[in-house]
Amino acid sequence: MRIAVIKESYPGERRVPLIPATAEKLVKLDAELLIESGLGLSCRFTDAEYEKAGATVSTSRRELLQSADMVLRLRKPPADEIELMKKGCIHVSYLDPFNEAELVELLRRAGISAVSLEMIPRSTVAQKMDVLSSQANIGGYAAAILAAEHLDKIFPMMTTPAGTIKPARVFVIGVGVAGLQAIATAKRLGAVVEAFDTRPVVEEQVKSLGAKFVKIDLGETGQTKDGYAKALTPEQLAVQKEGMAKACARADVVITTAQLFGRRAPRLIDQNMLAGMRPGSVLIDMAVESGGNIEGSELDTIIEVSGVKVIGFGNLPGRFAETASQMYSANIGNFVEHFWDKQAKVFQLNRNDEIIKGALITHEGEIVSEMYKSIANK
Ligand code: NAD
């Protein structure tokens, strides 16, 4: 089975989909592995390293796409590359399907079996291939580091002959994978950390990291069967904002990570709450790419409101491209290995498997994802 790995061409993206160590693993499965020349250069992996791992290097993306049985890449495919692929080709990447209806339609019409890595179920068996978790982990770390860099106070407490410096106060909103890592990183840097999430189950996790859980009584909130937050009613959101305004006012740094699966991120911080914060405070909106948690936040921009900085940088995991690539590459390698038939030396697209059921969007000219159909038709 011929697997082609395509070099990422999205502007500013430094992460790479496959590192040489994973290339070696795929070659050991007896896959015929081809990579596009320059695949790993943004993380300093040379073509020679991939060749040493057993891959063949090609300078023609067109030829790779036309001949591959399976294509691996990082971001969604550009529309004009879809028609180059063979009918029946399995394409594995981020796909952002809920915001990419046209692309999904192109993949369906081209007869591509498109796997959306974001749709891999959050189950124990799928953890090793969960790109949402691996990248959110790095993103949470990056958010805390970014905040520390932009705040003009230090994070830790210091007792010095020149006096005692109080620790910075960090408030993290949304305690999924990214939020937990942001808490852990801010704690390691010495900040006093508070956190809030609408899912009450995370209180224990927050406490176990040595942070304080901010209690706001919202009534019934719950979570979906996959562990995702449910959207709040407008009344609940108003109560939440009131409770959070106080925590924001005492914070030097606010990191927002709140997401709702398949929907726009909830708007949690408004201009009034920003105005109630101390000038010099820093906010990082980690949800900026899915609509933003903070009113007025802008993608890849720092805005200032009443002396408070709101940072809306996208692709936070990409700031630590080598580590993020290492993890993405391991995830994608584990995905291929999990479904690899060692005897037949092919990837088995097992339609009865829960992981494939969750992540396969288009197949044999049909849209096959029930989740996609139910959310996209709303
Ligand atoms: P996410 O990125 O979808 O959302 C981030 C956080 O925002 C979530 O904790 C969510 O509850 C929170 N949120 C949503 N609306 C909010 C609001 N109004 N105010 C405050 N917070 C709000 O989350 P994620 O990191 O992808 O994790 C989603 C779930 O998947 C979690 O339950 C997590 O534990 C679970 N998970 C399971 C596995 C596994 O078992 N393999 C792996 C990773 C994550």
Side-chain angles (χ1 to χ4, degrees):
M1 187 167 188
R2 178 174 276 206
I3 303 179
V5 192
I6 304 299
K7 182 174 165 20
E8 186 53 54
S9 40
Y10 187 80
E13 179 62 85
R14 290 193 294 122
R15 288 174 297 170
V16 306
L18 198 82
I19 67 167
T22 316
E24 195 177 333
K25 173 170 161 155
L26 297 186
V27 169
K28 281 198 179 129
L29 293 175
D30 275 331
E32 185 192 353
L33 184 67
L34 292 94
I35 64 137
E36 186 175 355
S37 177
L39 180 76
L41 281 184
S42 56
C43 289
R44 298 170 300 277
F45 298 115
T46 62
D47 285 356
E49 286 174 84
Y50 290 94
E51 271 172 339
K52 195 168 166 228
T56 304
V57 177
S58 163
T59 51
S60 168
R61 177 176 300 196
R62 174 174 281 270
E63 270 173 37
L64 286 178
L65 290 168
Q66 283 171 338
S67 67
D69 303 306
M70 182 176 218
V71 169
L72 310 179
R73 68 197 309 157
L74 185 73
R75 290 188 180 240
K76 60 199 166 204
D80 59 354
E81 291 183 14
I82 291 177
E83 62 196 28
L84 296 176
M85 289 186 278
K86 286 197 296 196
K87 210 170 163 199
C89 177
I90 303 169
H91 187 282
V92 185
S93 70
Y94 274 116
L95 207 53
D96 194 14
F98 301 118
N99 294 310
E100 292 293 344
E102 276 176 36
L103 204 65
V104 169
E105 184 51 22
L106 286 177
L107 288 159
R108 182 192 71 72
R109 267 194 263 146
I112 306 299
S113 297
V115 171
S116 165
L117 289 171
E118 303 95 321
M119 301 281 280
I120 285 183
R122 312 302 284 272
S123 60
T124 307
V125 61
Q127 263 178 3
K128 61 185 178 184
M129 43 188 112
D130 181 353
V131 296
L132 286 186
S133 289
S134 72
Q135 302 302 295
N137 205 352
I138 306 298
Y141 170 84
I145 299 293
L146 193 61
E149 195 183 317
H150 282 268
L151 187 70
D152 55 14
K153 295 179 181 178
I154 60 166
F155 269 28
M157 186 183 101
M158 274 189 195
T159 310
T160 78
T164 299
I165 308 291
K166 283 191 192 157
R169 299 186 71 98
V170 174
F171 180 36
V172 176
I173 302 172
V175 190
V177 179
L180 282 171
Q181 188 55 257
I183 295 172
T185 306
K187 283 292 298 177
R188 280 183 212 120
L189 289 174
V192 170
V193 184
E194 293 189 291
F196 175 72
D197 196 295
T198 51
R199 294 181 299 119
V201 293
V202 304
E203 181 173 349
E204 278 313 307
Q205 297 165 18
V206 168
K207 285 185 182 158
S208 73
L209 289 171
K212 186 176 161 218
F213 189 74
V214 174
K215 286 208 192 254
I216 305 170
D217 187 3
L218 299 176
E220 175 59 31
T221 49
Q223 56 182 17
T224 68
K225 68 172 178 31
D226 302 309
Y228 288 111
K230 287 187 179 163
L232 300 180
T233 63
E235 293 75 28
Q236 284 176 313
L237 204 52
V239 176
Q240 179 185 351
K241 278 184 170 179
E242 204 186 314
M244 287 192 322
K246 293 177 201 148
C248 288
R250 44 177 193 263
D252 299 298
V253 166
V254 175
I255 298 173
T256 69
T257 80
Q259 301 277 1
L260 295 169
F261 184 77
R263 306 174 61 153
R264 192 195 171 289
R267 183 55 56 82
L268 301 175
I269 296 196
D270 59 25
Q271 297 286 326
N272 280 338
M273 293 160 82
L274 291 177
M277 292 179 66
R278 270 193 306 273
S281 304
V282 172
L283 294 94
I284 311 282
D285 188 347
M286 283 195 71
V288 68
E289 286 159 304
S290 50
N293 294 144
I294 304 174
E295 189 179 348
S297 71
E298 277 175 45
L299 185 60
D300 293 334
T301 308
I302 302 179
I303 56 162
E304 258 193 71
V305 185
S306 336
V308 169
K309 268 190 202 175
V310 179
I311 301 180
F313 292 170
N315 192 10
L316 292 182
R319 301 175 84 82
F320 294 93
E322 187 178 331
T323 314
S325 302
Q326 190 184 332
M327 292 168 97
Y328 183 94
S329 176
N331 291 147
I332 211 168
N334 289 334
F335 176 75
V336 174
E337 187 183 35
H338 189 82
F339 294 101
W340 193 259
D341 181 332
K342 290 202 172 84
Q343 245 110 55
K345 296 176 184 166
V346 291
F347 181 94
Q348 292 288 5
L349 199 65
N350 178 359
R351 299 278 315 279
N352 294 320
D353 184 278
E354 289 305 316
I355 298 171
I356 298 294
K357 270 193 210 162
L360 188 65
I361 308 295
T362 59
H363 182 61
E364 293 180 346
E366 307 276 345
I367 290 180
V368 293
S369 161
E370 293 307 322
M371 177 83 85
Y372 177 79
K373 282 192 263 189
S374 70
I375 294 185
N377 291 335
K378 270 191 191 156

